[in-house]
Amino acid sequence: MTTAPAAPPIRAKQRLGDRVFSKAALIAGILILVTLAAVAAFLLAQSFPALTAEPGSFKGDAENFWQYVAPFAFGTVWAAFLALLMAIPVALGIALFISHFAPRRIAQGLGYVVDLLAAVPSVVFGLWGITVLAPGVQPLWTTLSEWFGWFPLFAPPVSGTGRTILTVAVVLAVMVLPIITALCREVFLQTPVLHEEAALALGATRWEMIKLAVIPFGTPGIISASMLGLGRALGETMVVAMVLSPAAVIKFAVLQSQNPNTIAGNIALNFPEAHGVGVNVLIATGLILFVITLAVNMLARWIVDRRKEFSGAN
């Protein structure tokens, strides 16, 4: 007995608009990869002379490129870490207030203010930091050092101008705050209503409902928003160049007059007068910043993917 051959599967015919949109999305994705590869190739090609440069090509006492870039890489990561340490809790609180506590009118108005704050140019934040914040917090930094000077972070001597790495971190925290807040707000608003109602029906309070339903659902979004804010803090130039009193040092003290500079701030301050191999040295430090940012984003994606796998397993 012979069986009839199986009929070929029927494929839905795509419309012209669907085909155009699919091709456009594919081209856009490829364009991003090509652009990223071109930037990486440019940085690698221009950085090679700096990696083999003579000791006299570097400012300060550095004998090679790695000794030169180490303080700036440390300052970049340290300032961004301090900024996120202050910004994330405040951003989560504002986002939860807008999404689950505030009346509708207040939530809408506060949301507009947060979005407007994200549009303020970084030079404005730099001017505010150097003219208002630094002189205003200098007495606070002095008091903080007098009370907690035994702790290495707040060790004296305190800067007399207030232009310290902690002041820069405060300004950076204000800058990344609207980005993290806006993204977390949208993620919290996407929490399934049935999950929230189920928690409340079981007798949970408002805060317990947020802890059991909203926070777990929004954790991948919180991580993504934090990494986006970290990227803004890592690459910030004007605030660091305007507010900080930089030095090529590696130290964790946050209130002293000698503070580690960042890669972006060092490029902004030294590029106008750089020439010859000095330009290649600055481009090479930009390559290090590129690698740091790429590593941070890859780590964030790995954390989010692992959490999704863990959630799916449970």
Side-chain angles (χ1 to χ4, degrees):
M1 181 178 178
T2 59
T3 58
I10 300 176
R11 295 183 178 180
K13 184 179 180 180
Q14 283 190 332
R15 298 180 180 179
L16 177 61
D18 294 335
R19 292 198 300 270
V20 171
F21 178 78
S22 176
K23 297 297 183 182
L26 177 62
I27 293 173
I30 294 175
L31 183 61
I32 291 176
L33 295 178
V34 170
T35 304
L36 186 63
V39 171
F42 166 78
L43 292 175
L44 286 171
Q46 295 294 323
S47 300
F48 184 76
L51 301 178
T52 58
E54 298 294 330
S57 304
F58 308 99
K59 285 189 174 182
D61 300 329
E63 298 181 357
N64 54 59
F65 171 74
W66 303 109
Q67 291 183 3
Y68 173 78
V69 77
F72 304 127
F74 169 79
T76 300
V77 176
W78 182 229
F81 171 77
L82 293 174
L84 284 189
L85 195 64
M86 292 182 283
I88 291 177
V90 179
L92 292 180
I94 297 174
L96 287 173
F97 177 75
I98 294 175
S99 60
H100 287 82
F101 288 95
R104 183 176 298 274
R105 286 187 177 181
I106 297 179
Q108 290 179 349
L110 189 57
Y112 293 149
V113 172
V114 170
D115 295 338
L116 182 62
L117 187 62
V120 177
S122 58
V123 66
V124 176
F125 284 107
L127 290 173
W128 169 71
I130 194 173
T131 59
V132 178
L133 183 63
V137 298
Q138 198 280 328
L140 177 62
W141 294 167
T142 303
T143 304
L144 194 62
S145 180
E146 291 176 354
W147 290 359
F148 303 101
W150 50 269
F151 193 62
L153 287 181
F154 309 120
V158 181
S159 171
T161 61
R163 298 170 62 180
T164 67
I165 192 72
L166 186 58
T167 305
V168 170
V170 173
V171 180
L172 291 177
V174 176
M175 292 182 62
V176 304
L177 184 66
I179 299 175
I180 303 176
T181 301
L183 293 177
C184 290
R185 176 193 64 198
E186 297 302 322
V187 171
F188 293 156
L189 289 173
Q190 298 301 320
T191 305
V193 179
L194 291 178
H195 292 184
E196 299 179 359
E197 293 178 349
L200 294 173
L202 291 174
T205 62
R206 179 68 65 88
W207 163 241
E208 290 173 338
M209 179 271 292
I210 291 175
K211 185 171 62 174
L212 294 174
V214 179
I215 298 296
F217 176 83
T219 298
I222 295 173
I223 297 174
S224 300
S226 301
M227 292 304 104
L228 187 61
L230 178 60
R232 173 79 185 273
L234 288 173
E236 181 52 45
T237 302
M238 293 305 301
V239 169
V240 179
M242 295 174 66
V243 178
L244 190 65
S245 297
V249 295
I250 298 178
K251 58 169 58 177
F252 288 94
V254 296
L255 302 179
Q256 299 180 2
S257 57
Q258 284 192 333
N259 302 274
N261 199 0
T262 65
I263 293 177
N266 179 65
I267 293 174
L269 292 174
N270 294 298
F271 192 82
E273 59 185 22
H275 62 278
V277 182
V279 177
N280 299 104
V281 170
L282 295 179
I283 294 177
T285 60
L287 175 63
I288 300 301
L289 179 59
F290 179 84
V291 173
I292 292 174
T293 306
L294 183 63
V296 167
N297 285 305
M298 292 177 63
L299 177 62
R301 295 302 307 173
W302 180 80
I303 293 174
V304 172
D305 292 340
R306 283 295 300 270
R307 180 165 183 85
K308 289 180 179 179
E309 293 177 1
F310 179 77
S311 301
N314 290 341

